[in-house]
Amino acid sequence: MASFLPETSRKIFTPEGLRSAAKQSQRCLVVPVRLRRAIKKYLREQDEPHVKRKVLRLSESLNAIKDVNSQLVTTSSRELVEDPLKSSEQSKQRWKIKSSYGDIGFKYRDDETIAYVASRMPAVFSACHRVLKEVRRRLPGFSPARVLDFGAGTGSAFWALREVWPESLQKINLVEPSQSMQRAGRSLIKGLKNLPLIHGYDSIQALTKSIKKSEREHDLVIASYVLGEIPSLKDRITLVRQLWDLTQDLLVLVEPGTPHGYNIISQMRSHILWMENRKCRKSKAANIASKDLVVAQKSSAFIVAPCPHDGPCPLVKTSKYCHFVQRLERTSSQRAYKRSKGEPPLRGFEDEKFCFVVIRRGQRPREPWPLDGTEFETLKEQQAKRNPEDLEIEYEDLIKLRQEADDNPYDEVDPSTYDSDAMESDAREEDEGEEEEEEEQEQEETTSADLGGGWGRIIFPSVRRGRQVTMDICRSTKRDCSEGSFERLVITKSKNPTLHHQARKSLWGDLWPF
């Protein structure tokens, strides 16, 4: 593949550049101050009693939905579950949606909405923020202006979009059938400045009827935590096809990190890739005109994240499932309402597990693999090159270091930073937060992993034992990214100390260079 690229276009990665480009996960996410204040203000305005009971009932209802989903394979949809692509290809009738999300038996009324805002909204926000931030890192030039949020709920994805792309958003279409959820979403964004143009709809049909054909294409379409509430697989596929038709560039699907959520993401991913590949084959067989070649190339699709390839998922026929985790610091409302009387105090954080896929229109760019032509020294070679003079420490420098340590023995921790849900405004903290965000954006712009397929994905936690690190990686086996495999790599310090150091720093969800 490298022969197709000029020498000037090849990236030369240093060990520090490799670690920075491969870093995709976030350790512990702190919910933004604006969102925490909006949630507290909303809960105070509701003045509803027994919020803890409502949160408990909501948790029990969501657990019941998981049990229903695990037993959802019926005789009518068994053929689709076993081979959805074959069944959709043989079907001559156009599919129509007969059920909408929420038909499993759970409806979001006022009580459920209040409990959702108090307990679940920060976790859903953290998962959406993690996914969208990776999109920004992998696609530095992508800045969406028109966005469609399907199954918007109380606006978790909208808040994540505002944090990741605060300046580029111009118009956002929200689709949410629950009137209670819509009212809560409007109440939460009340008072925010520089908001984009926002329109709310009850369904996709209402959206397509209200806007012009020229306005139906969106730069980004996101559907988070919604497909699992649709009981029929056929309706799910039809709905995702409608969302794909409304997508001009990126489609983002996020589901809970359960086996059922993974199955949904895997099926929708396979269906869209199969559908676009079929369009490409038909266009090539029809000997289309030269003017339509550009249109034919845009009809294809590839995976931006998390998969490093566009082939079948290597975990489909195994007992494992691909999912990730995002740790977040619990807000004051979560700490207050998620703990029942008599139970031990909650931890200061929680882990939100999720599955996702990001699909982009067009052909995957051909990029050189990051380690092409790179030679690493072994530990013995590095030790042989050491200069004994470099290991000597001057006595005067050592005295200066000890004096500096005595002058500043420890750094005082500001106790007010623990409970960051204070209602009073602090302009200094906001300015510091903006400066940190700008520094992070500058670091992300300097080094980013390309989409050429040479970056694998760490899909399970790594195991560190002594001087070796064991990692489970999903990778591309072909240069054109048409096939992939699941492999277990063992990185030792003696053979490659540079990659061993990177492996020790890598976390679940990060990339791995090949």
Side-chain angles (χ1 to χ4, degrees), residues 478-505:
K478 291 187 176 181
R479 292 281 176 164
D480 59 355
C481 303
S482 60
E483 294 182 6
S485 65
F486 169 71
E487 298 180 2
R488 174 162 291 183
L489 297 182
V490 179
I491 310 297
T492 59
K493 186 175 181 179
S494 59
K495 293 183 178 179
N496 199 325
T498 303
L499 291 183
H500 176 266
H501 181 67
Q502 178 171 344
R504 291 188 62 85
K505 297 289 184 180

PDB file of all heavy atoms in Angstrom, residues 478-505:
ATOM      1  N   LYS A 478      -5.549  -7.006   6.296  1.00  0.00           N
ATOM      2  CA  LYS A 478      -5.229  -6.639   4.921  1.00  0.00           C
ATOM      3  C   LYS A 478      -5.021  -5.138   4.826  1.00  0.00           C
ATOM      4  O   LYS A 478      -5.600  -4.370   5.581  1.00  0.00           O
ATOM      5  CB  LYS A 478      -6.334  -7.085   3.953  1.00  0.00           C
ATOM      6  CG  LYS A 478      -6.439  -8.588   3.790  1.00  0.00           C
ATOM      7  CD  LYS A 478      -7.422  -8.942   2.696  1.00  0.00           C
ATOM      8  CE  LYS A 478      -7.457 -10.448   2.445  1.00  0.00           C
ATOM      9  NZ  LYS A 478      -8.401 -10.804   1.360  1.00  0.00           N
ATOM     10  N   ARG A 479      -4.216  -4.746   3.875  1.00  0.00           N
ATOM     11  CA  ARG A 479      -3.914  -3.330   3.706  1.00  0.00           C
ATOM     12  C   ARG A 479      -5.131  -2.518   3.269  1.00  0.00           C
ATOM     13  O   ARG A 479      -5.214  -1.337   3.557  1.00  0.00           O
ATOM     14  CB  ARG A 479      -2.796  -3.166   2.674  1.00  0.00           C
ATOM     15  CG  ARG A 479      -1.459  -3.698   3.152  1.00  0.00           C
ATOM     16  CD  ARG A 479      -0.792  -2.712   4.075  1.00  0.00           C
ATOM     17  NE  ARG A 479       0.456  -3.219   4.632  1.00  0.00           N
ATOM     18  CZ  ARG A 479       1.376  -2.453   5.209  1.00  0.00           C
ATOM     19  NH1 ARG A 479       1.175  -1.153   5.293  1.00  0.00           N
ATOM     20  NH2 ARG A 479       2.472  -2.982   5.716  1.00  0.00           N
ATOM     21  N   ASP A 480      -6.065  -3.138   2.565  1.00  0.00           N
ATOM     22  CA  ASP A 480      -7.267  -2.414   2.161  1.00  0.00           C
ATOM     23  C   ASP A 480      -8.352  -2.447   3.230  1.00  0.00           C
ATOM     24  O   ASP A 480      -9.462  -1.962   3.003  1.00  0.00           O
ATOM     25  CB  ASP A 480      -7.816  -2.975   0.854  1.00  0.00           C
ATOM     26  CG  ASP A 480      -8.170  -4.460   0.969  1.00  0.00           C
ATOM     27  OD1 ASP A 480      -7.899  -5.050   2.043  1.00  0.00           O
ATOM     28  OD2 ASP A 480      -8.713  -5.010   0.000  1.00  0.00           O
ATOM     29  N   CYS A 481      -8.064  -3.035   4.400  1.00  0.00           N
ATOM     30  CA  CYS A 481      -8.991  -3.066   5.549  1.00  0.00           C
ATOM     31  C   CYS A 481     -10.283  -3.808   5.241  1.00  0.00           C
ATOM     32  O   CYS A 481     -11.336  -3.507   5.813  1.00  0.00           O
ATOM     33  CB  CYS A 481      -9.323  -1.647   6.029  1.00  0.00           C
ATOM     34  SG  CYS A 481      -7.876  -0.684   6.474  1.00  0.00           S
ATOM     35  N   SER A 482     -10.233  -4.776   4.338  1.00  0.00           N
ATOM     36  CA  SER A 482     -11.434  -5.541   4.007  1.00  0.00           C
ATOM     37  C   SER A 482     -11.675  -6.691   4.969  1.00  0.00           C
ATOM     38  O   SER A 482     -12.783  -7.226   5.012  1.00  0.00           O
ATOM     39  CB  SER A 482     -11.323  -6.081   2.573  1.00  0.00           C
ATOM     40  OG  SER A 482     -10.187  -6.925   2.445  1.00  0.00           O
ATOM     41  N   GLU A 483     -10.679  -7.091   5.730  1.00  0.00           N
ATOM     42  CA  GLU A 483     -10.824  -8.179   6.686  1.00  0.00           C
ATOM     43  C   GLU A 483     -10.100  -7.823   7.974  1.00  0.00           C
ATOM     44  O   GLU A 483      -9.159  -7.026   7.988  1.00  0.00           O
ATOM     45  CB  GLU A 483     -10.250  -9.494   6.115  1.00  0.00           C
ATOM     46  CG  GLU A 483     -11.014 -10.039   4.921  1.00  0.00           C
ATOM     47  CD  GLU A 483     -10.436 -11.353   4.435  1.00  0.00           C
ATOM     48  OE1 GLU A 483      -9.522 -11.866   5.119  1.00  0.00           O
ATOM     49  OE2 GLU A 483     -10.895 -11.851   3.402  1.00  0.00           O
ATOM     50  N   GLY A 484     -10.565  -8.445   9.058  1.00  0.00           N
ATOM     51  CA  GLY A 484      -9.957  -8.199  10.350  1.00  0.00           C
ATOM     52  C   GLY A 484      -9.885  -9.463  11.174  1.00  0.00           C
ATOM     53  O   GLY A 484     -10.477 -10.494  10.824  1.00  0.00           O
ATOM     54  N   SER A 485      -9.171  -9.401  12.282  1.00  0.00           N
ATOM     55  CA  SER A 485      -9.022 -10.556  13.155  1.00  0.00           C
ATOM     56  C   SER A 485      -8.884 -10.078  14.591  1.00  0.00           C
ATOM     57  O   SER A 485      -8.569  -8.913  14.861  1.00  0.00           O
ATOM     58  CB  SER A 485      -7.808 -11.404  12.755  1.00  0.00           C
ATOM     59  OG  SER A 485      -6.613 -10.665  12.951  1.00  0.00           O
ATOM     60  N   PHE A 486      -9.093 -11.025  15.510  1.00  0.00           N
ATOM     61  CA  PHE A 486      -8.929 -10.781  16.940  1.00  0.00           C
ATOM     62  C   PHE A 486      -7.695 -11.534  17.400  1.00  0.00           C
ATOM     63  O   PHE A 486      -7.620 -12.760  17.263  1.00  0.00           O
ATOM     64  CB  PHE A 486     -10.179 -11.238  17.688  1.00  0.00           C
ATOM     65  CG  PHE A 486     -10.017 -11.286  19.183  1.00  0.00           C
ATOM     66  CD1 PHE A 486      -9.923 -10.124  19.914  1.00  0.00           C
ATOM     67  CD2 PHE A 486      -9.954 -12.496  19.857  1.00  0.00           C
ATOM     68  CE1 PHE A 486      -9.776 -10.155  21.284  1.00  0.00           C
ATOM     69  CE2 PHE A 486      -9.799 -12.551  21.221  1.00  0.00           C
ATOM     70  CZ  PHE A 486      -9.705 -11.373  21.941  1.00  0.00           C
ATOM     71  N   GLU A 487      -6.696 -10.820  17.926  1.00  0.00           N
ATOM     72  CA  GLU A 487      -5.422 -11.421  18.282  1.00  0.00           C
ATOM     73  C   GLU A 487      -5.035 -11.047  19.705  1.00  0.00           C
ATOM     74  O   GLU A 487      -5.446  -9.996  20.217  1.00  0.00           O
ATOM     75  CB  GLU A 487      -4.322 -10.976  17.318  1.00  0.00           C
ATOM     76  CG  GLU A 487      -4.555 -11.379  15.875  1.00  0.00           C
ATOM     77  CD  GLU A 487      -3.440 -10.926  14.968  1.00  0.00           C
ATOM     78  OE1 GLU A 487      -2.464 -10.336  15.491  1.00  0.00           O
ATOM     79  OE2 GLU A 487      -3.535 -11.142  13.748  1.00  0.00           O
ATOM     80  N   ARG A 488      -4.235 -11.892  20.311  1.00  0.00           N
ATOM     81  CA  ARG A 488      -3.661 -11.630  21.630  1.00  0.00           C
ATOM     82  C   ARG A 488      -2.161 -11.430  21.469  1.00  0.00           C
ATOM     83  O   ARG A 488      -1.442 -12.331  21.031  1.00  0.00           O
ATOM     84  CB  ARG A 488      -3.960 -12.769  22.578  1.00  0.00           C
ATOM     85  CG  ARG A 488      -3.286 -12.656  23.939  1.00  0.00           C
ATOM     86  CD  ARG A 488      -3.931 -13.551  24.962  1.00  0.00           C
ATOM     87  NE  ARG A 488      -5.272 -13.098  25.295  1.00  0.00           N
ATOM     88  CZ  ARG A 488      -6.038 -13.673  26.218  1.00  0.00           C
ATOM     89  NH1 ARG A 488      -5.601 -14.733  26.888  1.00  0.00           N
ATOM     90  NH2 ARG A 488      -7.247 -13.203  26.463  1.00  0.00           N
ATOM     91  N   LEU A 489      -1.697 -10.234  21.829  1.00  0.00           N
ATOM     92  CA  LEU A 489      -0.291  -9.886  21.694  1.00  0.00           C
ATOM     93  C   LEU A 489       0.380  -9.854  23.058  1.00  0.00           C
ATOM     94  O   LEU A 489      -0.225  -9.425  24.049  1.00  0.00           O
ATOM     95  CB  LEU A 489      -0.136  -8.516  21.032  1.00  0.00           C
ATOM     96  CG  LEU A 489      -0.652  -8.366  19.594  1.00  0.00           C
ATOM     97  CD1 LEU A 489      -0.362  -6.964  19.094  1.00  0.00           C
ATOM     98  CD2 LEU A 489      -0.024  -9.393  18.677  1.00  0.00           C
ATOM     99  N   VAL A 490       1.640 -10.296  23.092  1.00  0.00           N
ATOM    100  CA  VAL A 490       2.455 -10.239  24.304  1.00  0.00           C
ATOM    101  C   VAL A 490       3.657  -9.366  23.996  1.00  0.00           C
ATOM    102  O   VAL A 490       4.504  -9.726  23.163  1.00  0.00           O
ATOM    103  CB  VAL A 490       2.880 -11.647  24.769  1.00  0.00           C
ATOM    104  CG1 VAL A 490       3.755 -11.535  26.016  1.00  0.00           C
ATOM    105  CG2 VAL A 490       1.666 -12.520  25.046  1.00  0.00           C
ATOM    106  N   ILE A 491       3.738  -8.234  24.649  1.00  0.00           N
ATOM    107  CA  ILE A 491       4.828  -7.287  24.438  1.00  0.00           C
ATOM    108  C   ILE A 491       5.787  -7.409  25.613  1.00  0.00           C
ATOM    109  O   ILE A 491       5.382  -7.224  26.772  1.00  0.00           O
ATOM    110  CB  ILE A 491       4.301  -5.845  24.329  1.00  0.00           C
ATOM    111  CG1 ILE A 491       3.151  -5.774  23.307  1.00  0.00           C
ATOM    112  CG2 ILE A 491       5.409  -4.892  23.948  1.00  0.00           C
ATOM    113  CD1 ILE A 491       3.553  -6.140  21.904  1.00  0.00           C
ATOM    114  N   THR A 492       7.051  -7.713  25.328  1.00  0.00           N
ATOM    115  CA  THR A 492       8.067  -7.865  26.378  1.00  0.00           C
ATOM    116  C   THR A 492       9.042  -6.697  26.320  1.00  0.00           C
ATOM    117  O   THR A 492       9.300  -6.125  25.255  1.00  0.00           O
ATOM    118  CB  THR A 492       8.824  -9.188  26.205  1.00  0.00           C
ATOM    119  OG1 THR A 492       9.456  -9.212  24.918  1.00  0.00           O
ATOM    120  CG2 THR A 492       7.867 -10.365  26.325  1.00  0.00           C
ATOM    121  N   LYS A 493       9.608  -6.395  27.464  1.00  0.00           N
ATOM    122  CA  LYS A 493      10.536  -5.270  27.554  1.00  0.00           C
ATOM    123  C   LYS A 493      11.874  -5.597  26.916  1.00  0.00           C
ATOM    124  O   LYS A 493      12.536  -4.710  26.368  1.00  0.00           O
ATOM    125  CB  LYS A 493      10.728  -4.886  29.017  1.00  0.00           C
ATOM    126  CG  LYS A 493      11.555  -3.628  29.215  1.00  0.00           C
ATOM    127  CD  LYS A 493      11.626  -3.222  30.666  1.00  0.00           C
ATOM    128  CE  LYS A 493      12.433  -1.940  30.833  1.00  0.00           C
ATOM    129  NZ  LYS A 493      12.498  -1.503  32.252  1.00  0.00           N
ATOM    130  N   SER A 494      12.283  -6.861  26.966  1.00  0.00           N
ATOM    131  CA  SER A 494      13.595  -7.226  26.429  1.00  0.00           C
ATOM    132  C   SER A 494      13.647  -7.095  24.911  1.00  0.00           C
ATOM    133  O   SER A 494      14.645  -6.653  24.349  1.00  0.00           O
ATOM    134  CB  SER A 494      13.948  -8.655  26.841  1.00  0.00           C
ATOM    135  OG  SER A 494      12.964  -9.568  26.361  1.00  0.00           O
ATOM    136  N   LYS A 495      12.548  -7.466  24.228  1.00  0.00           N
ATOM    137  CA  LYS A 495      12.554  -7.414  22.767  1.00  0.00           C
ATOM    138  C   LYS A 495      12.287  -6.021  22.236  1.00  0.00           C
ATOM    139  O   LYS A 495      12.862  -5.611  21.234  1.00  0.00           O
ATOM    140  CB  LYS A 495      11.517  -8.394  22.214  1.00  0.00           C
ATOM    141  CG  LYS A 495      11.850  -9.855  22.459  1.00  0.00           C
ATOM    142  CD  LYS A 495      10.816 -10.760  21.817  1.00  0.00           C
ATOM    143  CE  LYS A 495      11.163 -12.228  22.023  1.00  0.00           C
ATOM    144  NZ  LYS A 495      10.151 -13.128  21.415  1.00  0.00           N
ATOM    145  N   ASN A 496      11.379  -5.290  22.880  1.00  0.00           N
ATOM    146  CA  ASN A 496      11.019  -3.969  22.374  1.00  0.00           C
ATOM    147  C   ASN A 496      10.651  -3.065  23.543  1.00  0.00           C
ATOM    148  O   ASN A 496       9.486  -2.965  23.920  1.00  0.00           O
ATOM    149  CB  ASN A 496       9.853  -4.070  21.392  1.00  0.00           C
ATOM    150  CG  ASN A 496       9.745  -2.847  20.499  1.00  0.00           C
ATOM    151  OD1 ASN A 496      10.018  -1.735  20.930  1.00  0.00           O
ATOM    152  ND2 ASN A 496       9.339  -3.062  19.264  1.00  0.00           N
ATOM    153  N   PRO A 497      11.604  -2.401  24.167  1.00  0.00           N
ATOM    154  CA  PRO A 497      11.291  -1.549  25.330  1.00  0.00           C
ATOM    155  C   PRO A 497      10.424  -0.346  24.988  1.00  0.00           C
ATOM    156  O   PRO A 497       9.659   0.127  25.831  1.00  0.00           O
ATOM    157  CB  PRO A 497      12.678  -1.118  25.829  1.00  0.00           C
ATOM    158  CG  PRO A 497      13.586  -1.298  24.666  1.00  0.00           C
ATOM    159  CD  PRO A 497      13.040  -2.447  23.879  1.00  0.00           C
ATOM    160  N   THR A 498      10.506   0.146  23.736  1.00  0.00           N
ATOM    161  CA  THR A 498       9.696   1.314  23.363  1.00  0.00           C
ATOM    162  C   THR A 498       8.216   0.962  23.343  1.00  0.00           C
ATOM    163  O   THR A 498       7.380   1.653  23.948  1.00  0.00           O
ATOM    164  CB  THR A 498      10.134   1.840  21.990  1.00  0.00           C
ATOM    165  OG1 THR A 498      11.522   2.163  22.029  1.00  0.00           O
ATOM    166  CG2 THR A 498       9.333   3.069  21.611  1.00  0.00           C
ATOM    167  N   LEU A 499       7.857  -0.125  22.640  1.00  0.00           N
ATOM    168  CA  LEU A 499       6.453  -0.535  22.601  1.00  0.00           C
ATOM    169  C   LEU A 499       5.995  -1.065  23.958  1.00  0.00           C
ATOM    170  O   LEU A 499       4.812  -0.963  24.293  1.00  0.00           O
ATOM    171  CB  LEU A 499       6.256  -1.595  21.524  1.00  0.00           C
ATOM    172  CG  LEU A 499       6.401  -1.128  20.072  1.00  0.00           C
ATOM    173  CD1 LEU A 499       6.118  -2.270  19.111  1.00  0.00           C
ATOM    174  CD2 LEU A 499       5.480   0.048  19.780  1.00  0.00           C
ATOM    175  N   HIS A 500       6.913  -1.644  24.731  1.00  0.00           N
ATOM    176  CA  HIS A 500       6.541  -2.125  26.060  1.00  0.00           C
ATOM    177  C   HIS A 500       6.132  -0.954  26.960  1.00  0.00           C
ATOM    178  O   HIS A 500       5.159  -1.041  27.721  1.00  0.00           O
ATOM    179  CB  HIS A 500       7.707  -2.894  26.689  1.00  0.00           C
ATOM    180  CG  HIS A 500       7.433  -3.341  28.094  1.00  0.00           C
ATOM    181  ND1 HIS A 500       7.818  -2.598  29.198  1.00  0.00           N
ATOM    182  CD2 HIS A 500       6.796  -4.434  28.579  1.00  0.00           C
ATOM    183  CE1 HIS A 500       7.444  -3.220  30.302  1.00  0.00           C
ATOM    184  NE2 HIS A 500       6.825  -4.340  29.952  1.00  0.00           N
ATOM    185  N   HIS A 501       6.858   0.153  26.856  1.00  0.00           N
ATOM    186  CA  HIS A 501       6.501   1.333  27.638  1.00  0.00           C
ATOM    187  C   HIS A 501       5.144   1.871  27.213  1.00  0.00           C
ATOM    188  O   HIS A 501       4.327   2.293  28.047  1.00  0.00           O
ATOM    189  CB  HIS A 501       7.579   2.403  27.469  1.00  0.00           C
ATOM    190  CG  HIS A 501       7.319   3.654  28.251  1.00  0.00           C
ATOM    191  ND1 HIS A 501       7.348   3.690  29.629  1.00  0.00           N
ATOM    192  CD2 HIS A 501       6.998   4.919  27.842  1.00  0.00           C
ATOM    193  CE1 HIS A 501       7.070   4.912  30.048  1.00  0.00           C
ATOM    194  NE2 HIS A 501       6.858   5.679  28.984  1.00  0.00           N
ATOM    195  N   GLN A 502       4.889   1.854  25.893  1.00  0.00           N
ATOM    196  CA  GLN A 502       3.585   2.310  25.416  1.00  0.00           C
ATOM    197  C   GLN A 502       2.480   1.363  25.864  1.00  0.00           C
ATOM    198  O   GLN A 502       1.376   1.791  26.209  1.00  0.00           O
ATOM    199  CB  GLN A 502       3.588   2.418  23.889  1.00  0.00           C
ATOM    200  CG  GLN A 502       2.236   2.846  23.318  1.00  0.00           C
ATOM    201  CD  GLN A 502       2.314   3.153  21.847  1.00  0.00           C
ATOM    202  OE1 GLN A 502       3.405   3.334  21.315  1.00  0.00           O
ATOM    203  NE2 GLN A 502       1.168   3.229  21.191  1.00  0.00           N
ATOM    204  N   ALA A 503       2.741   0.057  25.859  1.00  0.00           N
ATOM    205  CA  ALA A 503       1.726  -0.912  26.278  1.00  0.00           C
ATOM    206  C   ALA A 503       1.366  -0.734  27.748  1.00  0.00           C
ATOM    207  O   ALA A 503       0.206  -0.890  28.138  1.00  0.00           O
ATOM    208  CB  ALA A 503       2.232  -2.334  26.026  1.00  0.00           C
ATOM    209  N   ARG A 504       2.328  -0.399  28.578  1.00  0.00           N
ATOM    210  CA  ARG A 504       2.040  -0.179  29.997  1.00  0.00           C
ATOM    211  C   ARG A 504       1.195   1.067  30.217  1.00  0.00           C
ATOM    212  O   ARG A 504       0.426   1.148  31.181  1.00  0.00           O
ATOM    213  CB  ARG A 504       3.342  -0.074  30.792  1.00  0.00           C
ATOM    214  CG  ARG A 504       4.106  -1.382  30.899  1.00  0.00           C
ATOM    215  CD  ARG A 504       5.281  -1.241  31.859  1.00  0.00           C
ATOM    216  NE  ARG A 504       4.834  -0.924  33.217  1.00  0.00           N
ATOM    217  CZ  ARG A 504       4.455  -1.825  34.117  1.00  0.00           C
ATOM    218  NH1 ARG A 504       4.468  -3.117  33.807  1.00  0.00           N
ATOM    219  NH2 ARG A 504       4.081  -1.457  35.321  1.00  0.00           N
ATOM    220  N   LYS A 505       1.319   2.034  29.316  1.00  0.00           N
ATOM    221  CA  LYS A 505       0.533   3.256  29.434  1.00  0.00           C
ATOM    222  C   LYS A 505      -0.837   3.141  28.776  1.00  0.00           C
ATOM    223  O   LYS A 505      -1.716   3.968  29.025  1.00  0.00           O
ATOM    224  CB  LYS A 505       1.290   4.422  28.775  1.00  0.00           C
ATOM    225  CG  LYS A 505       2.629   4.752  29.429  1.00  0.00           C
ATOM    226  CD  LYS A 505       2.448   5.391  30.784  1.00  0.00           C
ATOM    227  CE  LYS A 505       3.791   5.809  31.373  1.00  0.00           C
ATOM    228  NZ  LYS A 505       3.630   6.445  32.711  1.00  0.00           N
TER     229      LYS A 505
END
